[in-house]
Structures are given as C-alpha cells and as structure tokens.
Amino acid sequence: MRRRITSGAVLAAAALLASVTGAGTSAADSPALGTGYGVHDGKVPLTTTKTTATYLLQDPTRGNTATVNGRTNALLTDADNIWGNGSPSNLQSAGVDAQFAAVSVWDYFKYAFNRLGVRNDGKGVRSVVHYGNNYANVFWSDACGCVNYGDGSDNAHPLTTIDIGAHEITHGLTSATAGLGYSGEAGALNEGTSDIFATMVEFSAGIPADVPDYLIGEKANLNGNGTPLRYMDRPSRDGASPDYWSTSVPGLDPHLASGIANHFFFLLAEGSGPRVINGISYNSPTADGSVLTGIGRNSAAAIWYRALTVYLTSNANYRSARTATLNAARDLYGVGSTQAAAVAAAWTGVNVTGPA
C-alpha cells in the first residue's frame, strides 16, 4: 500500500490538549538553552523553560511552542536539560525531533516573512508525539493548533522528521490564509504548499543529520524501501504522481496531484535539467522541452508565500495559481522582471498555461 502523510483529521486532539498536565508556567519561569538528541535530527539546540523543579520542553521565546507525550497527555520534562539519546526507545528522542521541527518552522516564517506563528498571532504550535498505538501517520488539527505524530506500525519508528513536521504545520498556515480546500486542485495546491515550505524549512535549518533536499519524507521510510514519499524535481519518480498538468489531475488524490505544484516550484527555484545539490542528483524535465534557469529558492518561496497570503482562495485551481503567482512576482519584483518571466515559464514547463 502506498503510504501518504495526511492532514486535517481532528479526531480527539482538541480534547487531548485541553487536558494536558504540566502545561502551566509562572512568572518565575525562564528560557534556558538545552541540547537534544533526536531520532532523525541528531544533536540539535533547544530553548526550553526552566521552572523551580525541572525543565519543560516548551520554548517561551517562540510563542510557547511545546511538545507533549501523547501517552501521558503531559508536557515532556527533564531534570538536566539534555533531552533524548537518539534512540526511538527513549521517549524524549521523538520529542526532540518534533520540537525542533516546530521551532524551525517558527524561525523560517519569522525571518523570511515576519510572520509570528502559523496564524500570525504570536502563538506557537503544540506537537504530540507517541500518538495512538501502532499509528503509521501524522496529522495536523486546526482545532487545537497541533500536529500529532505516530510511532509507526511497530511503535518503533516515530515519523518525526523535520520535513514531515514542517509539512503538517504548514497546513495550519494554509488554513489561516488562503483556506485552500482538500479536494480537487485546491487540495493539490494545499498539499503542494506544505511540501514547498517543508523543503524551505529543511534548507533553512540545515542540520547535518538531515541534509536539505527536494525529497519529501525520505528519512521516515514509510514506503519500507528507503525511498521518499515524493520527489519535487520529477514527481513521477514515485511511480504515481504526474509531472505535468492534464485533465486527469483534478480527479487524483491531492498527494499525487500536488506533484504539479512541487515540480513548478523546483523549476522556478532551480531550473530544468540535471544538477547536484548537497550531493543529491536531480533531473527536472519540462513539458515543452524548454531549458529553464532558476531564480533561487528564496525568491521562489517569497512568490509562493505572497500568492498564498494575498491572492489564492479556497477553491483555487492550477490555472488560478498561475495567475496568483504571476501577480505575486510582479508585486515583489516588477512587471517586466526576470522573476515574473520565470514564473510564467515554469508554469508552461508543467503544462499550466493561460493569459500573461
């Protein structure tokens, strides 16, 4: 069975977090610099909350971004501010990954777009690790502003990679901005947006244990053979996603149809043809055989972010996304800019055409 990261399920997450214990802090609590050892992230820095009795895996400098143990409904705590040991059997290790993903999302959107939290309200997200039993999935819930991570079908492989975490949290941002639906091409754009910003967060974090790439979920190994869930340079590498738009795209599962958005973004950021980035080989084709030069991932992400937050609406499709990103590029870089021309060319490269 093809495994996919899903989102939007509310389930009992709101009730879960409403009953979280140990979540309160007092005026005497203060930020402290700790160290974490994650299952997927390796050694990473963490900002935690020091109380009179212990340390909480809650970051007061980032909107109280926090991580909860789903087995106890309590914030993770530690006596010496050294968290986890990298092993899945250590309950803190998955929490390290989840917390680092959440604060990395906070930092990326803050420094790239001056956005404070997914709803831009200064509040961080909560991550729930060890969710469920033998749960081989991850989901975002708008109801509680939280992301919930299963430990895999054997309870030994937590799905807490940085790109999976950032993907799910971005669903919250999409809900708070364009409000993209979750079916048809709107659903594909919703999923593609999460993949695009998950990739940007991964590049921004730049951790050695998870070298930044244009692959989605490769470290989680949900396919069971070491392959990623999705490939942004040529989505068809997964055996099911389309590289180019066609009349069949609106009827596809959004995780497959998102390949059009992912491919567009790769072409816009990096260009077409073969290349090696951080030691990983890519080869991105175009529908019309054109040779494209990328404008860089930061400019490409800025265009997508403005399109998402200003122009896209809940029922958007790929044709309207083309118009939205063209408008965004012209706003940011000018009507006759290289960036606006690159946006039009990249959409043509994935067979999405329309008025200039």
Side-chain angles (χ1 to χ4, degrees):
M1 181 177 70
R2 176 183 170 82
R3 297 193 181 275
R4 308 183 183 105
I5 300 302
T6 59
S7 64
V10 175
L11 301 182
L16 171 71
L17 290 194
S19 64
V20 165
T21 59
T25 58
S26 71
D29 298 335
S30 59
L33 297 179
T35 301
Y37 295 88
V39 176
H40 302 290
D41 292 352
K43 182 180 179 181
V44 293
L46 297 171
T47 300
T48 61
T49 298
K50 186 181 189 305
T51 71
T52 55
T54 190
Y55 294 92
L56 309 177
L57 196 51
Q58 176 172 284
D59 189 336
T61 70
R62 296 175 174 90
N64 283 327
T65 296
T67 298
V68 171
N69 180 354
R71 299 179 186 178
T72 62
N73 298 350
L75 278 172
L76 288 171
T77 63
D78 188 78
D80 61 5
N81 215 16
I82 299 174
W83 303 78
N85 61 10
S87 170
S89 62
N90 182 297
L91 292 180
Q92 291 185 349
S93 298
V96 169
D97 289 336
Q99 181 75 358
F100 187 75
V103 299
S104 295
V105 171
W106 175 282
D107 285 353
Y108 171 72
F109 285 103
K110 176 183 178 180
Y111 294 111
F113 306 114
N114 196 32
R115 187 180 189 89
L116 297 179
V118 296
R119 294 172 179 146
N120 202 25
D121 58 1
K123 297 179 181 178
V125 305
R126 286 183 180 268
S127 302
V128 180
V129 293
H130 312 304
Y131 176 87
N133 184 41
N134 298 316
Y135 188 67
N137 220 323
V138 186
F139 67 92
W140 169 264
S141 169
D142 272 332
C144 58
C146 61
V147 57
N148 303 266
Y149 297 89
D151 284 329
S153 58
D154 57 0
N155 277 336
H157 292 86
L159 307 180
T160 50
T161 67
I162 189 170
D163 55 355
I164 287 177
H167 173 107
E168 294 302 330
I169 294 168
T170 299
H171 280 303
L173 186 148
T174 298
S175 177
T177 55
L180 289 165
Y182 207 75
S183 62
E185 292 188 13
L189 289 165
N190 193 325
E191 281 295 319
T193 296
S194 280
D195 283 353
I196 287 166
F197 286 120
T199 297
M200 292 304 300
V201 169
E202 187 175 293
F203 272 99
S204 178
I207 55 175
D210 192 349
V211 175
D213 53 46
Y214 287 93
L215 311 173
I216 305 299
E218 72 283 356
K219 291 203 73 176
N221 194 25
L222 273 166
N223 290 329
N225 58 5
T227 60
L229 291 171
R230 291 182 286 281
Y231 303 79
M232 298 184 77
D233 66 319
R234 182 160 52 91
S236 62
R237 291 170 67 186
D238 69 3
S241 297
D243 292 330
Y244 314 118
W245 187 89
S246 71
T247 55
S248 66
V249 166
L252 294 176
D253 179 287
H255 296 88
L256 302 180
S258 67
I260 308 301
N262 288 348
H263 192 190
F264 161 80
F265 185 81
F266 186 92
L267 289 171
L268 182 62
E270 302 291 350
S272 61
R275 67 200 60 242
V276 176
I277 302 168
N278 288 344
I280 298 171
S281 296
Y282 304 95
N283 193 350
S284 195
T286 57
D288 59 349
S290 58
V291 177
L292 304 183
T293 300
I295 62 172
R297 68 182 69 93
N298 289 334
S299 294
I303 290 167
W304 196 271
Y305 179 81
R306 183 163 179 81
L308 180 74
T309 56
V310 176
Y311 292 110
L312 287 175
T313 58
S314 61
N315 61 348
N317 58 23
Y318 276 119
R319 190 179 175 91
S320 60
R322 181 182 186 277
T323 300
T325 50
L326 280 170
N327 287 335
R330 290 162 180 161
D331 291 346
L332 294 170
Y333 302 108
V335 172
S337 62
T338 298
Q339 292 86 349
V343 167
W347 280 121
T348 300
V350 296
N351 199 34
V352 176
T353 57

